[in-house]
Amino acid sequence: LNQSTDTGTKFHCSVTSNLSIDEDLKLNIYRIVQEQTNNILKYATASQVTITINDNNKTVYLSIIDNGKGFDPAIERNGIGISNIINRIESYNGEVILESSPGKGCKLKIKIPYWLTAPPKFPGTALNIIIVGRVKIGLQVYGQGPGERQIIE
C-alpha cells in the first residue's frame, strides 16, 4: 500500500518489525486494516491515509487516519464494517476510538492487549469504545459472568 492507487489515494504504512503476536491476532489486525481501507477507498475520497501498527508493553496499537470527507459517527449506517471492527476488538478486550466529522477525515485508533499464549479470562475485563463526532459517546462493556454484560453510557 505504500504507493498511490488508481483512486488517487496515497497510503503511508508503518509496521513495527518483529511483532511478537499470535497468528489469530495478526489475522484480525489484517482484517481490520482491510475493512477500514475498503471503507476509505469506497467512501472517503481521501488523498492521504496513514496506517501505523506498533507494540509496547504487551499492547498492540493500530491507527488508521485519513484526510477524507469524514462522516458523523452518531448517524446509524446500513453497513456492518465498523461493527465488525468493534466485534474483532471486543474479542481481545481491546479499545476502539473512532473520531470523525463531516469534512474532517477519520481517525480509527485501536489498542489491543496481547499475550504470547491464550488471553486469560479476567472477570470484569472491559471493552472501551469511544466515538467522537458532533456527539461524543463513551461506552464501556464490563463482563459480569459468562455471557453477561452491563452497559454504561
Side-chain angles (χ1 to χ4, degrees):
L1 285 175
N2 283 332
Q3 58 187 341
S4 294
T5 64
D6 290 339
T7 63
T9 303
K10 177 89 175 167
F11 286 84
H12 307 276
C13 301
S14 172
V15 179
T16 298
S17 61
N18 301 325
L19 208 59
S20 298
I21 57 177
D22 68 36
E23 295 301 313
D24 187 52
L25 180 53
K26 284 181 186 178
L27 177 61
N28 277 287
I29 290 170
Y30 171 79
R31 294 289 184 215
I32 290 166
V33 171
Q34 184 180 42
E35 180 65 45
Q36 189 64 5
T37 300
N38 184 52
N39 289 342
I40 291 166
L41 292 174
K42 281 173 69 175
Y43 305 114
T45 62
S47 63
Q48 299 284 322
V49 179
T50 301
I51 301 171
T52 306
I53 303 172
N54 56 48
D55 68 333
N56 186 17
N57 201 23
K58 298 195 181 211
T59 302
V60 175
Y61 299 90
L62 165 64
S63 71
I64 304 173
I65 301 170
D66 71 67
N67 68 348
K69 63 183 179 181
F71 62 96
D72 183 347
I75 296 175
E76 191 169 323
R77 307 266 178 250
N78 292 331
I80 60 171
I82 297 295
S83 296
N84 283 343
I85 290 171
I86 290 169
N87 289 335
R88 288 179 189 280
I89 299 309
E90 181 180 31
S91 70
Y92 286 95
N93 298 317
E95 180 177 314
V96 178
I97 298 173
L98 177 65
E99 297 176 9
S100 188
S101 62
K104 302 289 186 180
C106 182
K107 294 180 185 178
L108 177 66
K109 296 181 181 181
I110 295 172
K111 184 166 79 170
I112 309 165
Y114 71 91
W115 298 265
L116 296 178
T117 59
K121 302 293 182 193
F122 295 116
T125 55
L127 164 70
N128 295 311
I129 302 170
I130 301 167
I131 300 174
V132 180
R134 289 188 309 187
V135 178
K136 185 174 181 180
I137 303 166
L139 173 66
Q140 295 185 339
V141 180
Y142 291 92
Q144 302 298 309
E148 298 177 12
R149 293 189 184 143
Q150 176 184 6
I151 299 176
I152 303 169
E153 294 187 66

